[in-house]
Amino acid sequence: MEKVSLGSQSLTVSRLGLGCMGMSGIYGDSDDLESASTIERAIDLGVTFLDTADIYGRGHNEELVGRAVKARRDEVELATKFGNVVDAQGNRGIDGSPGHVHRACDASLGRLGVDVIDLYYLHRVDDKVPIEDTVGAMSELVAAGKVRYLGLSEASSATIRRAHAVHEITALQTEYSLWTRDVETDILATCRELGIGFVAYSPLGRGFLTGAITSAEDLPEGDWRRFHPRFQADRIERNQEIARRIEQLAASNDVTAAQLALAWVMAQGDDVVPIPGTRRASHLESNLAAVEIRLGEDDLAALDEAAPPGLEVGDRYPDMSLVNR
């Protein structure tokens, strides 16, 4: 597995990472044994960059990942996130206060069973707390040896610049795929100007670009995608045109639609690292084959024509006010 530098502060990760969110019931039922086996298989195949968050399964995901890598800690780069919170009544919110920064980090270290987190992200920007205060507290974690590198998720260019002025930001994690190309407007350019690596989550459009989801009925009960605007019945049918175009191009190249979609993300630059999520080793192995695909200019032009920015129908989230703050 090829390794790349994520940002300009010496963090090196596998060319393709593994998003672990879906292992904690986000997309329906979960199976801890299968998930742990998939993580172990990923490491065997050279995937060293594992992504989780304290909100996934309300701590379950960090505990799962921690158990899976316990005997192989030195082989992986662990990334986790904080900031999204849920109160006792189930109400969601965002907390970027300095006090919460420290409490959340200590809790994540405990669940992961490690002494240091390789990459620690602010999951969502708290508009009630100056980003300087949040990142200032995060920098204290670096000074204390609890965290190696800092990251942001779904932050605007202006916020990235303010944060980076307080402490070097190593990576920005934001949704990016042939189905979601918003970051091409200015955020990618900002990251490159500042030497910040880009981590692309949902590079397969939450599974949509695999061609496996043709209607909302394909999603299991309890799957949170049922509440996403793009997966609503009146929109998912119109979005099928994008999936069909990608499938046709994939077939002509003798690869799967998922492999082509991942290869496209990686072709955007060595500083762009996708973290597709899966619970199954078979899907993992298929995704990893994308690393070997080399897209030429004609291939990239065909994909740009098949899935240009703005062709998708519907917002990424039910409440878009929580992203790109």
Side-chain angles (χ1 to χ4, degrees):
M1 170 68 70
E2 178 187 0
K3 301 275 281 190
V4 295
S5 294
L6 188 60
S8 57
Q9 288 103 51
S10 303
L11 175 60
T12 302
V13 300
S14 53
R15 188 67 187 89
L16 199 71
L18 177 63
C20 299
M21 180 183 76
M23 297 176 178
S24 294
I26 307 298
Y27 297 135
D29 294 336
S30 58
D31 183 326
D32 285 2
L33 290 178
E34 180 181 39
S35 296
S37 177
T38 297
I39 292 173
E40 292 171 13
R41 181 61 176 154
I43 300 172
D44 289 340
L45 294 173
V47 176
T48 64
F49 190 33
L50 305 180
D51 183 86
T52 181
D54 60 4
I55 195 67
Y56 301 159
R58 300 192 186 188
H60 168 270
N61 201 248
E62 288 183 323
E63 292 174 349
L64 170 66
V65 171
R67 290 194 301 270
V69 306
K70 184 176 181 179
R72 309 180 71 172
R73 175 65 182 97
D74 293 341
E75 299 179 56
V76 298
E77 297 87 39
L78 286 177
T80 192
K81 301 178 283 293
F82 79 97
N84 283 345
V85 295
V86 181
D87 65 20
Q89 289 71 46
N91 299 310
R92 290 180 173 271
I94 299 174
D95 190 347
S97 64
H100 182 68
V101 170
H102 287 274
R103 290 190 298 271
C105 180
D106 288 341
S108 287
L109 287 168
R111 285 188 292 266
L112 289 165
V114 299
D115 296 323
V116 61
I117 295 165
D118 296 303
L119 177 58
Y120 199 45
Y121 295 100
L122 172 62
H123 206 160
R124 292 292 185 270
V125 176
D126 186 350
D127 60 4
K128 303 182 299 300
V129 179
I131 192 65
E132 291 82 359
D133 292 352
T134 303
V135 176
M138 293 170 70
S139 71
E140 294 170 359
L141 301 175
V142 177
K146 296 180 179 181
V147 169
R148 291 195 172 101
Y149 301 96
L150 302 185
L152 302 175
S153 180
E154 290 285 2
S156 68
S157 288
T159 298
I160 295 167
R161 291 182 185 282
R162 290 170 56 195
H164 196 69
V166 175
H167 188 282
E168 288 183 321
I169 300 299
T170 295
L172 174 75
Q173 181 178 139
T174 294
E175 185 172 353
Y176 189 30
S177 71
L178 280 165
W179 202 27
T180 299
R181 301 179 61 174
D182 319 45
V183 298
E184 294 176 353
T185 303
D186 69 318
I187 290 176
L188 263 179
T190 298
C191 288
R192 285 170 172 156
E193 176 191 335
L194 300 175
I196 297 172
F198 189 95
V199 177
Y201 77 81
S202 294
L204 296 176
R206 297 184 176 84
F208 185 77
L209 298 180
T210 66
I213 303 169
T214 59
S215 75
E217 298 307 312
D218 291 332
L219 302 173
E221 292 295 329
D223 190 313
W224 76 319
R225 289 172 293 185
R226 284 178 171 262
F227 302 99
H228 280 236
R230 290 186 187 177
F231 287 90
Q232 300 308 303
D234 61 330
R235 299 187 182 105
I236 198 168
E237 184 175 338
R238 294 164 64 191
N239 281 321
Q240 277 299 310
E241 179 60 25
I242 299 173
R244 282 192 291 267
R245 292 179 182 184
I246 294 171
E247 284 187 89
Q248 289 169 358
L249 290 172
S252 66
N253 284 278
D254 198 27
V255 297
T256 69
Q259 290 165 349
L260 184 61
L262 289 173
W264 178 86
V265 175
M266 287 184 281
Q268 304 313 301
D270 288 342
D271 56 346
V272 179
V273 178
I275 51 169
T278 182
R279 295 172 291 178
R280 297 179 175 85
S282 59
H283 291 171
L284 166 77
E285 292 169 5
S286 179
N287 287 344
L288 289 180
V291 176
E292 304 301 324
I293 298 174
R294 297 292 180 264
L295 299 178
E297 291 184 6
D298 290 345
D299 298 314
L300 294 171
L303 285 164
D304 277 339
E305 183 178 353
L311 184 62
E312 70 282 351
V313 180
D315 287 336
R316 296 193 284 125
Y317 288 101
D319 186 356
M320 287 294 288
S321 69
L322 301 180
V323 300
N324 292 336
R325 285 179 166 179

